[in-house]
Structures are given as C-alpha cells and as structure tokens.
Amino acid sequence: MKEKNFLCPNCRSQLVPNKKIVLIARPESGHAGLLLLSPKLGEYTATTHSAFTLHDGQKVDISCPVCHADLGDYKDNKNLARVIMIDEDGKEYDIVFSEIIGEKCTYKIHGEEIESYGEDAGLYVNFW
C-alpha cells in the first residue's frame, strides 16, 4: 500500500522519515527545535524534545529541516505555513496549517477545492 508523502515546497525533500512529519520550529524568542507532527490531517499531536517546550498561543516560525527554507507566511498570512502532500494516487495538495501553537486548523488545497480540518479552522475562513 502506498503512503502519503509530505514534501518541502522549496526543495521537495521528504519530511516523513518514519511516521511523523519532521519540521523545525523557531519561537520568536528562544532557540529552534525539532517538531514532529502527525501526518493524519485533523490529528494535532505534536512531539518535541523535553528541553524544547512550546506553549499554547505561542507563534513559531516553521522551516524545512533539509534546506531550512521558511515554510510560513503562506500567501502573506503570517500565521500559516505550507507543505506539500502527495496522496496514495499521486495527487498533489498544499497542506496549510497554523504556526500558532494550540490552534487546530489545517487546510488541504487543490486548485479551488479546500477541505478544512480542526476546531479552529473557522479562524481563517475570510482568508480564503
């Protein structure tokens, strides 16, 4: 069975080496750390090292762990980041998600089609 692939939109490197999406999160103040996210859309489990703590409401800048490209500022929105997802059938989508820790909103975009996930998805409804 083919799995979904998640890629950096800049270098197209694989972001899921083993069951979690691996990204770099950099709080506005403090050091950066690795952030592991669930690849299941609408599931908001996140893992960090115990010495790298993030708090609800905190803004982080998300970047690629391979090329270090900034994945945020999606279409000039300072709170949204983007990765690419290729589904089991090879169809490519933009996956857009919040860079605010604790905001549960994700958008799966293909052309004009937008699917939203998470209890906070309505926060950006006027953005689309």
Side-chain angles (χ1 to χ4, degrees), residues 49-75:
H49 187 277
S50 61
F52 181 62
T53 57
L54 300 171
H55 307 285
D56 283 354
Q58 185 177 27
K59 166 77 165 78
V60 295
D61 292 322
I62 300 293
S63 58
C64 173
V66 178
C67 72
H68 300 276
D70 182 5
L71 303 181
D73 296 340
Y74 178 74
K75 296 195 178 194

Side-chain angles (χ1 to χ4, degrees), residues 7-15 64-69 71 84:
L7 309 174
C8 170
N10 184 59
C11 69
R12 295 189 68 88
S13 291
Q14 293 287 337
L15 299 175
C64 173
V66 178
C67 72
H68 300 276
L71 303 181
I84 294 170

Side-chain angles (χ1 to χ4, degrees), residues 1-72:
M1 179 174 100
K2 291 179 83 174
E3 295 182 4
K4 294 178 184 143
N5 290 316
F6 288 84
L7 309 174
C8 170
N10 184 59
C11 69
R12 295 189 68 88
S13 291
Q14 293 287 337
L15 299 175
V16 183
N18 186 18
K19 300 185 184 194
K20 296 287 184 179
I21 300 170
V22 178
L23 300 167
I24 296 172
R26 181 178 306 279
E28 291 179 338
S29 60
H31 297 286
L34 292 177
L35 176 64
L36 282 69
L37 301 176
S38 171
K40 184 177 178 187
L41 300 180
E43 184 176 299
Y44 294 97
T45 57
T47 304
T48 62
H49 187 277
S50 61
F52 181 62
T53 57
L54 300 171
H55 307 285
D56 283 354
Q58 185 177 27
K59 166 77 165 78
V60 295
D61 292 322
I62 300 293
S63 58
C64 173
V66 178
C67 72
H68 300 276
D70 182 5
L71 303 181

